[in-house]
Amino acid sequence: MKLKGKKVGFGLTASFCTSLEILEPLRKLKEMGADIYPVVSDNVNRFSSRFHDKDSYLQEISEICGKDIISTIAQAEAFGPTTKMDIMVIAPATGNTIAKLANGISDGAVTLATKATLRNNKPVLLALFSNDALGMNGTNIMKLYNTKNMYFVPFGQDNPVQKPTSMTADLSQLVEAIENAIDGKQMQPAIIMH
């Protein structure tokens, strides 16, 4: 299996409506033998939502990965010099996280782990979930799309009539997109019809 033994940093940010959908691809990665390091944003670490209870959600992530949750900048800093990842995945990657990455802001565990992975010349894979992808955040997405070692899970408009600027990743393609990114390839087509 291509992912067996690969060190995968897995960042989860606060697209709360997507939180539970991420668990299935996370389980699949673990079944494939990936060594997963779960990293959560401050909002994921602090808040429950109508979609999940924070404590049980974090516990489930930790159990799937077989590791403690990384939730602080101090913990994530190790991704640079000592605990080097083969790839950093952010799923879901919110518009807020995309904007921070596009502008060099690493003010939390997920963004710092990502910066550290890029510093080590390793790939980063983003599973976009943004209500503003075709709005003001569009420039940030395209900036990252054209950045070395940045890759995207194929994404498209999820509800063009009621949410015309919203775009989301196809999580069924997440594992294949990870394999492609490790090989230095952007999965195609990158922009899809949902």
Side-chain angles (χ1 to χ4, degrees):
M1 291 196 188
K2 199 172 202 176
L3 296 176
K4 187 173 177 62
K6 294 288 187 187
K7 287 187 171 159
V8 177
F10 201 101
L12 298 106
T13 65
S15 173
F16 291 124
C17 60
T18 311
S19 300
L20 298 178
E21 293 177 42
I22 297 300
L23 298 178
E24 189 53 40
L26 201 56
R27 283 187 193 96
K28 186 171 180 184
L29 279 175
K30 188 65 176 176
E31 289 167 10
M32 294 176 77
D35 186 16
I36 309 169
Y37 292 74
V39 186
V40 299
S41 70
D42 189 50
N43 286 336
V44 170
N45 196 46
R46 290 177 42 205
F47 298 116
S48 294
S49 73
R50 64 186 170 106
F51 301 98
H52 71 277
D53 171 72
K54 170 192 67 97
D55 294 327
S56 59
Y57 180 62
L58 293 174
Q59 181 178 347
E60 189 165 4
I61 292 166
S62 180
E63 287 173 0
I64 291 168
C65 299
K67 288 194 174 47
D68 291 335
I69 299 286
I70 297 164
S71 61
T72 68
I73 288 177
Q75 293 167 323
E77 192 274 334
F79 276 41
T82 56
T83 311
K84 297 181 179 184
M85 298 295 112
D86 292 300
I87 187 168
M88 180 71 193
V89 177
I90 305 178
T94 61
N96 186 52
T97 301
I98 298 277
K100 287 180 180 186
L101 292 173
N103 290 286
I105 299 169
S106 49
D107 63 348
V110 173
T111 52
L112 186 62
T114 302
K115 175 185 168 185
T117 302
L118 288 170
R119 183 179 83 186
N120 291 328
N121 204 30
K122 295 294 183 178
V124 170
L125 178 69
L126 304 172
L128 172 69
F129 282 81
S130 173
N131 286 326
D132 193 37
L134 293 176
M136 291 183 67
N137 215 0
T139 56
N140 296 321
I141 294 164
M142 288 303 107
K143 186 175 181 181
L144 292 179
Y145 191 85
N146 286 293
T147 299
K148 181 182 176 188
N149 288 328
M150 283 283 192
Y151 303 92
F152 283 81
V153 176
F155 62 95
Q157 286 182 282
D158 54 307
N159 189 344
V161 174
Q162 294 179 324
K163 300 190 305 180
T165 61
S166 179
M167 296 184 93
T168 61
D170 178 0
L171 291 177
S172 71
Q173 298 188 60
L174 178 66
V175 172
E176 187 179 354
I178 291 171
E179 292 172 333
N180 275 270
I182 287 175
D183 288 341
K185 299 177 195 164
Q186 170 61 52
M187 196 168 163
Q188 296 294 341
I191 299 177
I192 57 169
M193 295 282 291
H194 266 300

